[in-house]
Amino acid sequence: MTRPHVLLTATLAPPPVMEALEADYVVHRLDAHGSAESLPAETREAITAVVTTGGFGASAALMDALPNLALIACCGVGVDAIDLEAAARRGIPVTNTPNVLTEDVADMAVALWAGLGRDLVRADRWVREGRWERDGNLPLVPSLGARTVGFLGFGRIGQAVAARVRAFGASVLYHKRTPLPASDYEYVASLPELARRCDDLVVCCVGGEATRHLVDADVLTALGEHGHVINIARGTVINEDALVAALESGRLGGAALDVFADEPNVPRALRERDDVLLTPHVGSATVETRQAMGDLVLANLRAHYAGAPLPTPVP
Ligand code: 8YV
């Protein structure tokens, strides 16, 4: 059987995912500028599927460059970087990788929450820079179990994080557009009110225009001088300039961020602070989860080329 041609926007890990992809498909890659337009016309015509990531997505221009594109398979749950309207107009289905990454992303969110709450960046530097010997002990911090954690967005990932922070003894509040039909967590109808009532705001909502800069200067100020913001969703949800300003003026206590407005570029002002914990978009980056995500991408490709229902279509 002839192998279908797919365009891959970024190498997937771990290696068995790439091996399986390359065994069943002719894999093309974007040019050095990350664009498909300059690929030879016959390659662009041969490509019938795009395999992409949450970060790279798929633009309308990419779709335009591939006249026979019939599937966009995203190795990631967030599809905000895929122009879904452009795909729908062209009748191109989009798949993603929900569920399989929930637990690992939630673990990472809790690691960031606890790490920031227990002042790990400052503590680590304290030891490395010899300040323990010179200056003695660090100031005390509030107990994690005494904190109230507010969730912006409360889907699968948010609820998995909530279960974890509850195990620490922390209180949970959440805000989303519509309250959950049945939940023993308290719903808060507005984001500013949520920010006023919680110590830590965990951003767990989808990205894209609908949530762009929802966390603005007012929300950050409402969190307050001892408040923390934790983001494992998308950098676009927080106004990064407002975040820097709130930290620099002492209106906000700290931030723990896995995602950024312009990855991989992280503002210097954030990198220099020891009340900021930074990770390079690694929420789902475990061997098991990335394998499971890759397996789902492969399952969607297989189903598509077999004419079978797609396992995880984006509605
Ligand atoms: C990845 C993510 O960025 O699932 C998502 O939405 O943000 C991540 O898991 C990525 O697409 C990994 O390939």
Side-chain angles (χ1 to χ4, degrees), residues 80 151-153 175 191 201-217 219-220 229-243 257 259-263:
D80 48 291
F151 288 82
L152 168 56
H175 169 73
L191 175 56
L201 181 67
V202 181
V203 179
C204 291
C205 58
V206 296
E209 277 314 304
T211 57
R212 190 179 165 73
H213 290 186
L214 273 186
V215 179
D216 59 11
V219 169
L220 295 167
V229 64
I230 294 97
N231 191 2
I232 46 90
R234 286 293 183 259
T236 49
V237 184
I238 299 180
N239 180 332
E240 228 167 55
D241 292 339
L243 174 65
L257 309 168
V259 288
F260 303 89
D262 179 29
E263 295 173 11

Side-chain angles (χ1 to χ4, degrees), residues 2 37-38 73 84 99 138 146 165 178 190 212 218 232 272 303 312:
T2 58
E37 282 96 321
S38 58
L84 293 176
N99 303 316
L138 274 175
V165 304
T178 17
S190 90
R212 190 179 165 73
D218 291 346
I232 46 90
E272 283 167 354
T312 51

